[in-house]
Amino acid sequence: MTNSLKRLLIMNASTTIIFNYIGIFINLFLWENGQHIFDIAWFNLILFMSWGLAFIFGAQLLTKYSIRKVFQTSALFAGVTFVLLSSFHFEPKLLYIAAIAIPAGATNGLYSAASNLGISLFGKGKEFAAYFSTSNLIGQVIAIINPIVFALIIKWIGFNGSFILMFVFITTMIVVSFFVPNISLSQQKKPLLQDMNLLKVFFTPSLKWMLPSLVAAGFFMQFQGVFSLIFTFSITSDKLVIAFLQVTYTTCTLVSLFYYKKYKAKGVLSDSLWLTLGMVAASLGFMIVLFPAKPILIISNILTTVGMFFFATIWNSRQFVAISQYEPIFQARILVWREIILCFARITMLALTLTIRDFNGFAFKAIMIFCLICALTIPYFSKKGIDHIEP
């Protein structure tokens, strides 16, 4: 990997602590106030609406300011999120949840805009697989340490104390931002949002195959993301036990990473086969929740988390290989559309989730089967896209 990509990895590590906390403990904070699937789905739906808009705004900011400024703006919105959580509470509840979700989504969207453009501009060929594999490894280590540490902190000083403590990590994020590559799109002559017609942007066979892949991936990611949390919260209300369950899922992912690297180095299995195995594991995880006993929910989360590892490593790296061939401004247009499509699929998934009341109803089973089909189509779409990349 280049030094620029290594610096982006450091930035990624510093922010993963914040995003891991948001992903687990803000959702848990909301779940404890009534244990309603609706509340979790509503929070994430508004979050991804905000995420998509913030990504477009962040990409536009990059045409005027450096990537550092966008990272710093992301940190600012993270600060707003934790101020709202620690200092305010108001009714109606849905408005309060939305007020938290908007800056949380903006934090993610702005960060993703800066990070994705940096990865696309600085990475080449096999570097993408190395970057995403290393990034996932760092994420998994944090996913082991973070939940346990913050579960103990919340037991000791409560949720409000942990919200205030997050400002230490937000400050770290701002400090680290000064060391990332100082790039922008300000030297590009063409406006970012010019010629944004979908078919003009995705004009090659490789890019066209990216479209159904993105839709399927959005549904898969969001189903796995929201229900892995709800399944865990349904097993126990003890924060420390929840943290240890998260560690269990992460440990299984690290075992998968070990075997992936071992057999990849030997050339025994292709990335296409690894991705297929990952999606089959995730699909099995989806299917067994038709029998929602607590041990089954744990096994389901292990299978879907392992599937998500192979998805995040192989699927992402392939997409960035396809994108990196183009000039920076065109890469940015592809990334904007990519994020819009992913967010649209995730929002649609969450809107459907609002109708779910329990794991035994028709709505949950229908959505689960649909997302299972999406997971199984991802390897096919991904392979078709990589096969059409021009040498």
Side-chain angles (χ1 to χ4, degrees):
M1 277 187 288
T2 62
N3 287 332
S4 296
L5 275 180
K6 289 176 182 176
R7 290 182 185 181
L8 285 174
L9 269 177
I10 296 170
M11 185 70 197
N12 179 270
S14 65
T15 53
T16 298
I17 295 172
I18 298 171
F19 295 145
N20 180 272
Y21 182 95
I22 290 173
I24 298 174
F25 290 106
I26 292 183
N27 280 287
L28 178 59
F29 176 70
L30 298 172
W31 175 261
E32 287 191 342
N33 188 19
Q35 298 190 359
H36 298 303
I37 295 174
F38 185 95
D39 291 349
I40 301 298
W42 174 250
F43 170 74
N44 285 279
L45 189 151
I46 300 299
L47 183 147
F48 280 106
M49 285 183 175
S50 176
W51 183 322
L53 292 172
F55 190 97
I56 298 170
F57 177 61
Q60 190 66 27
L61 279 179
L62 286 167
T63 64
K64 298 179 181 179
Y65 305 101
S66 76
I67 193 173
R68 295 177 182 178
K69 295 292 184 185
V70 182
F71 281 135
Q72 289 159 12
T73 308
S74 172
L76 176 66
F77 276 99
V80 172
T81 302
F82 289 105
V83 166
L84 286 171
L85 283 164
S86 59
S87 305
F88 297 92
H89 185 83
F90 52 84
E91 297 292 340
K93 182 170 69 172
L94 291 185
L95 182 61
Y96 175 67
I97 292 173
I100 297 167
I102 289 170
T107 301
N108 282 277
L110 289 165
Y111 176 81
S112 295
S115 177
N116 286 355
L117 184 68
I119 295 165
S120 183
L121 290 178
F122 293 124
K124 300 294 178 186
K126 294 181 179 179
E127 290 178 353
F128 290 116
Y131 176 88
F132 284 109
S133 179
T134 307
S135 176
N136 280 332
L137 177 59
I138 293 170
Q140 300 307 325
V141 172
I142 291 172
I144 288 175
I145 299 170
N146 219 46
I148 294 175
V149 170
F150 276 101
L152 291 171
I153 289 171
I154 291 168
K155 278 182 171 289
W156 179 37
I157 57 176
F159 270 112
N160 280 350
S162 71
F163 296 152
I164 294 169
L165 184 62
M166 288 307 297
F167 286 98
V168 174
F169 298 101
I170 293 169
T171 303
T172 302
M173 181 180 173
I174 293 171
V175 171
V176 174
S177 71
F178 288 101
F179 296 93
V180 298
N182 195 23
I183 61 164
S184 73
L185 297 173
S186 60
Q187 303 302 316
Q188 302 296 312
K189 296 178 181 180
K190 299 176 183 177
L192 171 64
L193 301 180
Q194 181 179 307
D195 295 326
M196 283 293 289
N197 181 287
L198 184 66
L199 296 180
K200 286 185 178 180
V201 174
F202 293 84
F203 71 101
T204 68
S206 176
L207 292 176
K208 286 178 181 177
W209 277 108
M210 191 183 291
L211 293 173
S213 184
L214 287 167
V215 174
F219 280 102
F220 162 68
M221 284 193 294
Q222 196 51 55
F223 185 89
Q224 194 276 338
V226 73
F227 281 102
S228 65
L229 287 172
I230 291 173
F231 294 160
T232 300
F233 299 161
S234 300
I235 293 165
T236 179
S237 60
D238 188 300
K239 297 173 185 63
L240 200 54
V241 175
I242 288 172
F244 278 114
L245 285 172
Q246 294 293 328
V247 170
T248 300
Y249 309 149
T250 302
T251 303
C252 293
T253 305
L254 289 174
V255 172
S256 301
L257 174 62
F258 170 79
Y259 283 106
Y260 172 64
K261 284 185 171 292
K262 178 181 178 180
Y263 289 110
K264 183 178 175 64
K266 293 180 178 179
V268 175
L269 298 175
S270 67
D271 276 351
S272 292
L273 186 53
W274 279 114
L275 182 58
T276 300
L277 291 172
M279 292 301 95
V280 168
S283 299
L284 288 172
F286 290 164
M287 285 192 294
I288 64 174
V289 295
L290 292 174
F291 311 96
K294 289 182 179 181
I296 295 293
L297 295 179
I298 294 172
I299 295 169
S300 170
N301 276 355
I302 290 171
L303 289 170
T304 59
T305 304
V306 168
M308 181 60 74
F309 161 74
F310 289 111
F311 167 83
T313 299
I314 298 167
W315 183 84
N316 266 322
S317 64
R318 284 179 167 181
Q319 293 227 325
F320 278 89
V321 167
I323 293 169
S324 65
Q325 300 180 82
Y326 303 98
E327 62 177 332
I329 195 69
F330 196 77
Q331 289 182 34
R333 289 176 189 148
I334 297 172
L335 289 170
V336 167
W337 267 117
R338 179 180 186 268
E339 207 69 20
I340 289 172
I341 294 167
L342 281 173
C343 284
F344 178 78
R346 296 177 87 146
I347 289 165
T348 304
M349 171 70 231
L350 288 162
L352 294 171
T353 305
L354 293 174
T355 65
I356 296 174
R357 295 295 176 266
D358 57 58
F359 303 143
N360 295 313
F362 173 79
F364 174 76
K365 292 175 182 177
I367 293 169
M368 182 274 293
I369 291 169
F370 175 71
C371 291
L372 182 153
I373 294 168
C374 287
L376 291 175
T377 62
I378 287 171
Y380 174 76
F381 293 139
S382 179
K383 181 69 164 56
K384 295 293 287 186
I386 206 75
D387 285 346
H388 283 87
I389 292 178
E390 296 178 6

